[in-house]
Amino acid sequence: MKKFFALVMTLCLLCTVALAEQATANEINWADVQPVVEASGLTGEFVTFENVGVKIWIPEGMTAVEADQLPENNIGYFQAEDGSAVSVAYVDMGGMELSEYANQVAALGIEGIETGKLNGLDCVTYENANEDGSVNFVASFATQMGYILEVAVGPVATDDAKTGASIILASVQAAE
């Protein structure tokens, strides 16, 4: 998450020093990232997942996979022509707390797991390296129903793709 927050902090530094201080505290708010998105020229729209009460900004050019073709445990899956994707999974983890989930992810050998807040929601983030040198960025949230909502973006290999992945994860927030 340090890398994720560092990337978002860099984006925020382009806006103001106050935003950088907020990102340093492992707390990111969409209102602070939105000016960076607008300045970057990236376009997209929010997709609301009613069954979990969250919405996520999906960039233009990513196509939603039909509900009957979603990977297991996914409630949303969006794919770009370059093969990158946004996966929104909702998994019954038996009421597991985020700290327990972070320990389970660490047991898989994944390093750099961090906790923070995205738009007021407690989360665990990490990067998962792929054999080809690309990475997947992941943000996970515990829900009131005892499930884990996991948003993964990847594979990403370029700086532009990493910026896009960071923006997508920074957009996860409670639906209105």
Side-chain angles (χ1 to χ4, degrees):
M1 188 159 186
K2 285 182 184 176
K3 290 181 184 178
F4 169 69
F5 279 115
L7 183 55
V8 173
M9 184 173 64
T10 301
L11 294 172
C12 290
L13 278 171
L14 297 173
C15 295
T16 67
V17 173
L19 297 179
E21 289 173 4
Q22 183 176 21
T24 303
N26 284 356
E27 185 170 339
I28 296 173
N29 293 299
W30 179 249
D32 299 330
V33 177
Q34 192 172 7
V36 177
V37 176
E38 292 168 1
S40 74
L42 292 173
T43 58
E45 63 183 35
F46 276 93
V47 174
T48 300
F49 297 90
E50 298 288 337
N51 49 339
V52 293
V54 299
K55 64 182 183 177
I56 303 170
W57 184 84
I58 302 296
E60 189 175 289
M62 296 198 99
T63 306
V65 171
E66 296 297 323
D68 63 341
Q69 296 184 12
L70 290 174
E72 185 178 355
N73 295 321
N74 279 64
I75 59 173
Y77 195 88
F78 304 85
Q79 196 160 17
E81 287 184 16
D82 67 2
S84 62
V86 176
S87 168
V88 183
Y90 192 53
V91 183
D92 184 354
M93 298 298 288
M96 185 178 286
E97 298 288 326
L98 273 177
S99 59
E100 294 171 303
Y101 182 75
N103 291 336
Q104 187 176 39
V105 171
L108 297 173
I110 296 172
E111 298 175 358
I113 301 163
E114 296 216 8
T115 59
K117 283 190 181 281
L118 289 175
N119 300 302
L121 303 172
D122 291 327
C123 69
V124 169
T125 64
Y126 59 92
E127 294 177 21
N128 189 12
N130 299 312
E131 290 180 13
D132 65 359
S134 64
V135 295
N136 298 319
F137 290 104
V138 182
S140 302
F141 309 84
T143 69
Q144 293 177 353
M145 299 297 293
Y147 284 60
I148 296 291
L149 177 69
E150 185 172 90
V151 181
V153 183
V156 295
T158 66
D159 287 341
D160 286 344
K162 289 177 182 177
T163 298
S166 295
I167 290 170
I168 292 166
L169 292 182
S171 76
V172 178
Q173 58 193 277
E176 295 145 0

